[in-house]
Amino acid sequence: MLYFIRKKDDVVSPKRHILLVSTYQMCILMLFNRQQSYTYKDIQTESNIPEKELKRALLSLAVGRMQQRVLQKSPKTKEIASTDEFTINDQFSSKLIRVKKKKVPTATLR
């Protein structure tokens, strides 16, 4: 379960979402309980997820329209480098409580 604080009309209220994610995506998201941001290299070291699968999981969480991204990636490109930095996207929003995050197809990875 993921909680986002939303500010609407100067009232701060938590918006609760249940994210339906793969095991690798869940492992990545759980890391952000410990600190605010990670580089790709840090995530790879902490999670021990194979490189190809890690890139798929991170792209699905960090690419798309701003409100649909669970993670923010810096720099904002579709390729992932070892120095890229990831943080939780505070602007994430969804009308749905249960949000399914699909994996990026393998063919789109380079």
Side-chain angles (χ1 to χ4, degrees), residues 18-81:
I18 298 170
L19 295 179
L20 305 172
V21 295
S22 71
T23 303
Y24 288 150
Q25 290 169 324
M26 186 243 350
C27 291
I28 293 166
L29 291 174
M30 293 293 290
L31 290 174
F32 290 92
N33 286 330
R34 288 193 255 155
Q35 68 187 55
Q36 293 289 322
S37 67
Y38 283 93
T39 63
Y40 171 80
K41 199 72 168 165
D42 293 338
I43 294 172
Q44 189 176 35
T45 302
E46 292 283 329
S47 67
N48 290 322
I49 298 172
E51 184 176 358
K52 190 174 183 180
E53 291 299 320
L54 180 58
K55 286 184 178 184
R56 282 182 72 194
L58 282 170
L59 281 174
S60 64
L61 294 170
V63 174
R65 290 192 308 205
M66 181 54 105
Q67 293 83 10
Q68 295 176 339
R69 298 179 201 160
V70 177
L71 298 178
Q72 286 183 322
K73 179 182 164 307
S74 177
K76 295 180 181 178
T77 61
K78 290 189 179 182
E79 286 81 33
I80 294 180

